[in-house]
Amino acid sequence: MAEAEEQETESLEESTDESEEEESEEEPKLKYERLSNGVTEILQKDAASCMTVHDKFLALGTHYGKVYLLDIQGNITQKFDVSPVKINQISLDESGEHMGVCSEDGKVQVFGLYSGEEFHETFDCPIKIIAVHPHFVRSSCKQFVTGGKKVLCEEHGTNTTGDVQMLLLFERSWMSRWKSSVLHEGEGNIRSVKWRGHLIAWANNMGVKIFDITSKQRITNVPRDDISLRPDMYPCSLCWKDSVTLIIGWGTSVKVCSVKERHASELRDLPSRYVEIVSQFETEFYISGLAPLCDQLVVLSYVKEVSEKTEREYCARPRLDIIQPLPETCEEISSDALTVRGFQENECRDYHLEYSEGESLFYIVSPRDVVVAKERDQDDHIDWLLEKKKYEEALMAAEISQKNIKRHKILDIGLAYINHLVEKGEYDIAARKCQKILGKNAALWEYEVYKFKEIGQLKAISPYLPRGDPVLKPLIYEMILHEFLESDYEGFATLIREWPGDLYNNSVIVQAVRDHLKKDSQNRTLLKTLAELYTYDKNYGNALEIYLTLRHKDVFQLIHKHNLFSSIKDKIVLLMDFDSEKAVDMLLDNEDKISIKKVVEELEDRPELQHVYLHKLFKRDHHKGQRYHEKQISLYAEYDRPNLLPFLRDSTHCPLEKALEICQQRNFVEETVYLLSRMGNSRSALKMIMEELHDVDKAIEFAKEQDDGELWEDLILYSIDKPPFITGLLNNIGTHVDPILLIHRIKEGMEIPNLRDSLVKILQDYNLQILLREGCKKILVADSLSLLKKMHRTQMKGVLVDDAAKPFSVVAFHCRHMFHKECLPVPSMNSPAQFCGICSAKHRGPGSAILEMKK
């Protein structure tokens, strides 16, 4: 049984994970490691009984009466054989130059670590506590306190009797002699003491006292809550958070006490200071030690649990909790169960918690083990995230704190993240993360590409490969292109479009595509991609030929971009077949590169395309293609009759006889009518309208356009025996020909459709003409009268003559022009009136002489 228990203990000792909840998703606040090196050697032969911590070193007391000075790694720097029995407490001043030690055999020693200064005293009882003045190094502060029953050396002037426990203050006098005084006595054994500044706090069987060394007054008594617990088995834990805040832990109770100054009006016979309990709460387990952590508390707890199998109570692993004190309760921040060596055999009094204020280090001391707890830094936070496989959060934390992390590199975390994603099969996410993680490291990029190749996922990483800075080896890009070419033509085409042509050996890829085309020669995707590769290689002729074969929309862009007009002179028909509209626009926009003559010659065997080209040319400029207008007559007649008549009207270079011949051959009446009228043969044109088209409205419209009386006569003669034509004439002739001429020629008894309406319309049109004439006459008379009055007023006005002082005659006209009389022609008998020569020349009308002056 004992052997099995020993094996279990050994397995627990080998554990390096101090957390109880290994699977918890909540990150611990502290990290733990055993204090090893010299400590391991010490505890193999001895057991730790107490320890105190200075910023520079540690002091460890053992059950065999030894005191070891250790560095923070646990290496032994000094050893003191103080007593053959257990060391109960060690105290250091703030300078770390003086140490006080007390032991189970009643010995008390205070000595300088670097000087010969030393004090020895022996009591007749075990001494549990000692505390040296924090500033013991000063000559005015050579003080320390300890506890005992009786001083054996009476030379120190202390009278103690019986078994009364007391707290003694020792201080060195001016003659380097030590004297002692009793600060307190009579309330049982004193098992804990802490000195901070001018305040001493100690705990006996009744409670906790605080003494002000300056005023020599005891300022408070904090009673023990649970008196059922044995003080020797569940000792009180004291801790000064600062010079006025004391933390008390006893049993399961925690109290935070604040020392405050009493107001002068309240002093009377009371101490100048008092204590206020600012927070008080109960914990789940028994307290073995306390330490401050900013505004929180670190609590070391002794835990007992009941076995489910045997229903017997046993010692469980101690816990180290971080709690947030509140006025009447507390909030647990974190809780860790610690696997210390021999925890199954330890009692509450066997554990101690010491701490270093400067570095927030916490030392959990047990007889067979010393564990160091420290706040977790960013490296520890990243360790935890990596352990939980939260790689993305770890990467983000490393990037944010890259100046503070020491053990981790962002790149290493990123690579681990990529590997993790690959292992999970999330290849696309892993490839996408490569962009951010690998950055511009070409070697790493190439390494990752080969890794993706090994798992058959080159396609996943292809969209994210660098294309500029850095540029990888051409082999890398070719390897990926070959992968796509074997299984995904569309993906291959996409990469060729997106990747610059200088990333890979273009000729190698061209040959690979051509090899695949041997198996599938009509594959449009491969053909198009091959054309793009030819373009990258500046082999525009081959590229253009493929585009034309594919009838690809980019063919025109390719021609414009690379000025390939010399290459398309023999491919005009192909271009026109592909997209005649774009082809014609391109050809017309670049006449200087491909002449009109060349285009027309190339399209000679394709007259329908020739017509499209010439028609667009005519639309742009009626004169550029004049040499082809004769040819265009036949082309319009054959392929585009609707535009023939507009062409005949707009063209001034079209041979009318040829056009008339073609139109008469094809019986194009409208076009023939236009040509006849344009050639002056209006009667024949009108006859065609009436006989071929039988359209009286068109005939009337034609007669109106020509405005020829003989045409109207011909129209009336042709229509006189056709009632529908007569109706049309009656409705439209009124404003051009006297309708009486038509009415008189109508045979009696002929039935004419809508005659009544037509006659009414004639009368209405006549009345309208009369009204218009009368209105115009009134306007004319009114304007004439107005102008006459204006002229009269003008002529009545005087005319300024500036040459009145000169001795010659001047003639002034009403237009205000003046002439020397001698300069005017002599009026004749037939034309006695004189007119202004200037106004007459400008056709402004004559101006009569209004004034003749003789000077």
Side-chain angles (χ1 to χ4, degrees):
M1 181 73 179
E3 184 179 350
E5 185 177 88
E6 181 67 20
Q7 289 177 352
E8 182 180 356
T9 303
E10 288 296 323
S11 65
L12 288 169
E13 289 175 357
E14 293 300 321
S15 172
T16 58
D17 184 2
E18 309 297 343
S19 173
E20 182 181 33
E21 301 177 9
E22 295 181 359
E23 300 302 323
S24 173
E25 288 300 317
E26 184 176 350
E27 183 180 0
K29 304 297 181 183
L30 301 172
K31 63 177 179 179
Y32 305 90
E33 59 182 12
R34 283 192 169 89
L35 198 61
S36 56
N37 299 321
V39 175
T40 304
E41 298 175 10
I42 294 168
L43 299 184
Q44 284 176 349
K45 302 175 182 179
D46 205 340
S49 60
C50 62
M51 191 170 80
T52 190
V53 177
H54 189 268
D55 291 342
K56 300 176 182 177
F57 62 92
L58 313 175
L60 177 67
T62 71
H63 281 258
Y64 288 171
K66 308 292 190 294
V67 175
Y68 296 91
L69 298 188
L70 313 167
D71 61 19
I72 57 175
Q73 280 80 35
N75 298 303
I76 301 172
T77 59
Q78 276 185 282
K79 175 183 175 183
F80 301 95
D81 290 319
V82 176
S83 169
V85 295
K86 176 183 176 183
I87 303 296
N88 284 327
Q89 191 166 8
I90 303 171
S91 177
L92 294 167
D93 66 350
E94 290 182 357
S95 69
E97 297 181 12
H98 295 83
M99 181 169 64
V101 182
C102 64
S103 58
E104 194 69 15
D105 59 1
K107 288 182 180 179
V108 174
Q109 295 184 38
V110 178
F111 55 92
L113 295 176
Y114 312 107
S115 66
E117 187 178 10
E118 188 174 2
F119 168 83
H120 292 270
E121 187 64 80
T122 303
F123 293 85
D124 61 352
C125 65
I127 302 300
K128 301 294 184 181
I129 56 103
I130 187 171
V132 299
H133 195 293
H135 303 295
F136 193 90
V137 70
R138 301 176 187 171
S139 58
S140 60
C141 298
K142 299 296 183 182
Q143 299 173 318
F144 69 92
V145 293
T146 187
K149 293 181 180 178
K150 180 179 179 181
V151 180
L152 296 179
C153 301
E154 296 183 359
E155 60 181 337
H156 298 295
T158 303
N159 262 336
T160 60
T161 60
D163 293 334
V164 177
Q165 289 286 339
M166 61 191 68
L167 181 69
L168 300 175
L169 171 66
F170 285 83
E171 44 191 339
R172 194 168 68 177
S173 63
W174 61 278
M175 293 186 67
S176 298
R177 293 177 61 86
W178 290 87
K179 66 174 183 177
S180 63
S181 57
V182 178
L183 300 183
H184 183 71
E185 61 180 331
E187 293 186 355
N189 291 334
I190 300 172
R191 300 186 180 277
S192 181
V193 64
K194 293 291 180 180
W195 193 332
R196 181 70 174 256
H198 300 294
L199 299 176
I200 304 172
W202 71 92
N204 56 27
N205 291 349
M206 303 304 293
V208 176
K209 280 73 175 171
I210 299 177
F211 185 85
D212 188 341
I213 196 70
T214 305
S215 62
K216 305 293 184 183
Q217 291 179 310
R218 194 179 72 178
I219 59 177
T220 192
N221 174 43
V222 181
R224 180 159 66 107
D225 291 336
D226 188 354
I227 59 174
S228 65
L229 295 175
R230 288 175 52 184
D232 59 330
M233 297 298 292
Y234 298 93
C236 177
S237 296
L238 298 177
C239 169
W240 285 102
K241 180 181 179 181
D242 52 45
S243 58
V244 294
T245 305
L246 177 67
I247 305 169
I248 304 171
W250 208 338
T252 60
S253 172
V254 177
K255 295 176 182 177
V256 181
C257 306
S258 179
V259 179
K260 299 184 177 182
E261 296 288 339
R262 199 183 299 275
H263 195 272
S265 61
E266 301 174 348
L267 283 176
R268 301 190 186 102
D269 296 331
L270 298 174
S272 60
R273 295 182 175 185
Y274 70 97
V275 170
E276 179 182 337
I277 298 176
V278 296
S279 178
Q280 180 174 351
F281 53 88
E282 294 290 321
T283 63
E284 186 178 357
F285 307 110
Y286 298 110
I287 298 167
S288 294
L290 293 166
L293 178 62
C294 299
D295 61 339
Q296 299 170 340
L297 294 180
V298 179
V299 180
L300 176 63
S301 301
Y302 171 71
V303 181
K304 280 192 172 184
E305 295 180 353
V306 178
S307 172
E308 294 181 359
K309 295 181 179 180
T310 63
E311 297 184 356
R312 294 177 61 183
E313 196 173 53
Y314 67 94
C315 298
R317 291 184 293 175
R319 302 185 68 89
L320 192 70
D321 301 335
I322 299 177
I323 59 177
Q324 178 67 58
L326 301 173
E328 296 182 359
T329 183
C330 67
E331 178 184 352
E332 184 181 281
I333 306 301
S334 70
S335 180
D336 299 318
L338 309 180
T339 307
V340 299
R341 293 186 178 100
F343 69 87
Q344 301 92 334
E345 303 166 1
N346 293 339
E347 298 291 340
C348 183
R349 63 185 177 182
D350 294 325
Y351 293 110
H352 307 280
L353 179 63
E354 301 294 335
Y355 69 99
S356 171
E357 294 184 15
E359 299 182 16
S360 294
L361 296 175
F362 305 93
Y363 295 85
I364 299 92
V365 183
S366 67
R368 297 178 59 189
D369 211 353
V370 178
V371 176
V372 184
K374 61 179 69 174
E375 286 190 275
R376 297 171 64 87
D377 56 19
Q378 277 300 106
D379 282 299
D380 300 315
H381 174 58
I382 293 170
D383 282 334
W384 184 83
L385 291 172
L386 294 175
E387 181 185 339
K388 297 298 180 182
K389 299 189 182 303
K390 298 181 178 182
Y391 291 94
E392 188 165 12
E393 294 178 37
L395 186 61
M396 188 180 302
E399 289 171 345
I400 293 173
S401 306
Q402 56 182 318
K403 294 182 179 179
N404 299 323
I405 56 177
K406 299 175 181 177
R407 293 186 288 105
H408 291 96
K409 294 181 179 178
I410 294 175
L411 181 59
D412 293 339
I413 298 171
L415 292 175
Y417 185 23
I418 293 172
N419 292 335
H420 171 70
L421 291 171
V422 169
E423 290 172 3
K424 288 176 63 180
E426 297 179 1
Y427 304 114
D428 186 68
I429 299 175
R432 188 165 63 247
K433 293 297 179 183
C434 285
Q435 282 187 308
K436 177 180 179 182
I437 293 167
L438 305 182
K440 298 181 179 181
N441 192 321
L444 281 177
W445 266 108
E446 292 170 4
Y447 176 76
E448 288 298 327
V449 170
Y450 281 112
K451 280 178 55 179
F452 274 78
K453 176 179 170 54
E454 290 175 4
I455 59 176
Q457 293 295 328
L458 279 177
K459 289 183 179 180
I461 200 171
S462 63
Y464 309 105
L465 283 185
R467 304 171 189 177
D469 185 16
V471 175
L472 310 184
K473 295 176 182 176
L475 180 62
I476 298 295
Y477 301 100
E478 293 165 15
M479 183 170 64
I480 292 175
L481 289 173
H482 280 292
E483 177 77 15
F484 274 92
L485 190 56
E486 292 297 330
S487 58
D488 184 0
Y489 288 164
E490 292 296 335
F492 174 76
T494 300
L495 290 184
I496 293 298
R497 281 196 302 271
E498 293 179 352
W499 285 359
D502 57 354
L503 292 180
Y504 47 85
N505 189 326
N506 200 62
S507 59
V508 172
I509 303 302
V510 166
Q511 186 58 48
V513 175
R514 292 175 66 179
D515 290 343
H516 276 263
L517 280 171
K518 292 176 183 178
K519 306 172 189 176
D520 187 4
S521 61
Q522 300 303 314
N523 189 289
R524 294 182 61 84
T525 302
L526 285 182
L527 286 170
K528 179 184 172 185
T529 307
L530 183 59
E532 292 175 0
L533 289 168
Y534 279 139
T535 303
Y536 294 147
D537 213 19
K538 297 184 180 179
N539 191 344
Y540 301 121
N542 287 344
L544 182 61
E545 188 172 341
I546 294 175
Y547 277 134
L548 287 173
T549 303
L550 294 175
R551 303 172 70 86
H552 194 272
K553 60 181 178 61
D554 289 344
V555 66
F556 298 103
Q557 181 182 351
L558 180 71
I559 294 169
H560 279 290
K561 184 176 180 180
H562 301 291
N563 195 21
L564 303 180
F565 295 99
S566 60
S567 302
I568 65 169
K569 289 181 179 179
D570 57 347
K571 297 180 175 65
I572 293 174
V573 174
L574 290 174
L575 288 169
M576 294 285 287
D577 280 336
F578 172 39
D579 190 332
S580 60
E581 193 73 21
K582 285 187 177 179
V584 169
D585 286 339
M586 181 187 69
L587 292 169
L588 292 177
D589 290 341
N590 296 274
E591 290 177 30
D592 56 328
K593 298 167 184 173
I594 302 180
S595 66
I596 297 173
K597 180 181 178 182
K598 176 64 177 175
V599 176
V600 174
E601 288 175 355
E602 287 292 320
L603 298 175
E604 194 65 40
D605 295 333
R606 295 292 298 276
E608 73 280 9
L609 299 178
Q610 197 177 56
H611 163 68
V612 173
Y613 175 77
L614 291 173
H615 173 66
K616 199 71 172 280
L617 174 63
F618 181 75
K619 286 290 186 183
R620 288 199 180 190
D621 191 323
H622 292 345
H623 307 289
K624 270 190 176 180
Q626 56 181 304
R627 62 187 293 186
Y628 303 106
H629 283 197
E630 182 177 348
K631 177 188 285 287
Q632 283 186 268
I633 299 170
S634 300
L635 294 174
Y636 275 112
E638 182 68 29
Y639 302 108
D640 190 10
R641 184 188 170 185
N643 281 313
L644 175 57
L645 185 56
F647 170 73
L648 294 173
R649 286 176 177 165
D650 294 339
S651 173
T652 57
H653 309 286
C654 175
L656 298 181
E657 293 82 0
K658 179 68 174 177
L660 181 61
E661 179 185 348
I662 293 172
C663 291
Q664 286 176 340
Q665 288 175 354
R666 293 177 177 269
N667 198 26
F668 291 171
V669 178
E670 291 186 16
E671 291 80 355
T672 302
V673 168
Y674 169 74
L675 290 169
L676 288 171
S677 65
R678 186 171 170 182
M679 295 169 69
N681 196 349
S682 300
R683 285 191 168 186
S684 296
L686 180 62
K687 184 178 179 181
M688 283 197 73
I689 293 173
M690 292 186 294
E691 292 180 355
E692 300 290 337
L693 298 179
H694 305 288
D695 189 343
V696 65
D697 292 331
K698 199 170 190 68
I700 294 168
E701 188 67 29
F702 180 75
K704 288 180 180 180
E705 290 177 0
Q706 302 299 319
D707 196 20
D708 186 347
E710 291 182 0
L711 281 180
W712 283 110
E713 184 65 25
D714 290 345
L715 181 57
I716 291 170
L717 289 174
Y718 178 80
S719 306
I720 201 65
D721 58 349
K722 299 176 181 65
F725 276 45
I726 293 175
T727 302
L729 286 171
L730 290 173
N731 287 334
N732 295 282
I733 203 174
T735 56
H736 294 82
V737 179
D738 188 353
I740 298 298
L741 296 175
L742 176 61
I743 293 171
H744 283 165
R745 296 187 182 187
I746 299 173
K747 296 177 183 179
E748 291 186 9
M750 180 182 288
E751 185 176 339
I752 300 172
N754 301 317
L755 179 60
R756 177 178 172 278
D757 294 339
S758 299
L759 292 174
V760 170
K761 186 176 183 301
I762 289 172
L763 293 174
Q764 289 175 341
D765 290 345
Y766 180 75
N767 287 334
L768 181 60
Q769 288 182 22
I770 297 299
L771 290 173
L772 287 172
R773 288 177 181 176
E774 289 179 353
C776 291
K777 182 180 178 181
K778 289 179 180 178
I779 293 170
L780 183 60
V781 171
D783 287 348
S784 299
L785 182 60
S786 174
L787 291 171
L788 180 62
K789 290 180 178 179
K790 183 178 179 181
M791 184 181 72
H792 184 261
R793 287 196 303 272
T794 302
Q795 293 179 348
M796 291 295 293
K797 291 180 180 178
V799 179
L800 177 63
V801 180
D802 293 334
D803 297 335
K806 296 180 181 179
F808 46 75
S809 298
V810 176
V811 177
F813 290 89
H814 288 294
C815 60
R816 300 185 184 276
H817 293 127
M818 292 180 292
F819 300 88
H820 298 133
K821 187 174 181 180
E822 293 81 2
C823 297
L824 290 173
V826 178
S828 66
M829 295 296 292
N830 295 329
S831 179
Q834 287 185 312
F835 301 97
C836 173
I838 295 174
C839 293
S840 297
K842 293 182 179 179
H843 305 290
R844 294 183 178 178
S848 59
I850 60 168
L851 183 63
E852 182 178 336
M853 294 184 177
K854 193 171 185 180
K855 298 296 179 183

